[in-house]
Amino acid sequence: EERKGGVNKNNMMLAAGGRRVNRPMHNHSKEAKSVLRGWFYRNLDNPYPSEELKRFFAQQTGLNQAQIATFFTNERKRYPNPPWWDRSKTTG
């Protein structure tokens, strides 16, 4: 079902002929990233916020909990040589 602006009910952009196209990127505000990155770098030993903390961040930043979770997943992937990754479990 198509809605205004070529967007269907699943928030997927539709090209001519109804083909799906990736959704446009929406960057988080600098303030939101600052709050989340601040916590991340202060907690490098265990950068996994609790569900309660994710709810707090959602209220503080205006992002939803899924966006908060994705932010931390991506930030952990971008961090080189993470201290929370136990290399002894992968060496044989």
Side-chain angles (χ1 to χ4, degrees):
E1 175 184 340
E2 187 170 334
R3 294 186 180 179
K4 287 184 183 178
V7 177
N8 70 6
K9 66 182 177 182
N10 296 322
N11 204 25
M12 291 291 291
M13 297 296 293
L14 298 177
R19 291 180 294 117
R20 290 184 182 177
V21 180
N22 289 336
R23 286 184 261 170
M25 277 184 63
H26 297 286
N27 294 326
H28 305 315
S29 71
K30 288 181 183 180
E31 294 81 10
K33 286 189 279 190
S34 177
V35 168
L36 300 176
R37 279 201 181 114
W39 186 90
F40 178 83
Y41 286 103
R42 285 190 306 274
N43 293 277
L44 283 176
D45 57 324
N46 186 24
Y48 297 86
S50 66
E51 292 302 313
E52 182 179 351
L53 195 51
K54 288 178 196 174
R55 283 191 294 273
F56 171 76
F57 285 144
Q59 290 176 340
Q60 193 174 17
T61 63
L63 303 175
N64 64 44
Q65 285 183 257
Q67 290 172 305
I68 301 292
T70 300
F71 175 88
F72 283 106
T73 298
N74 291 339
E75 202 68 14
R76 287 189 297 267
K77 287 179 183 178
R78 290 182 187 116
Y79 192 84
N81 301 315
W84 61 89
W85 181 51
D86 185 359
R87 287 173 188 77
S88 66
K89 292 181 182 177
T90 59
T91 57

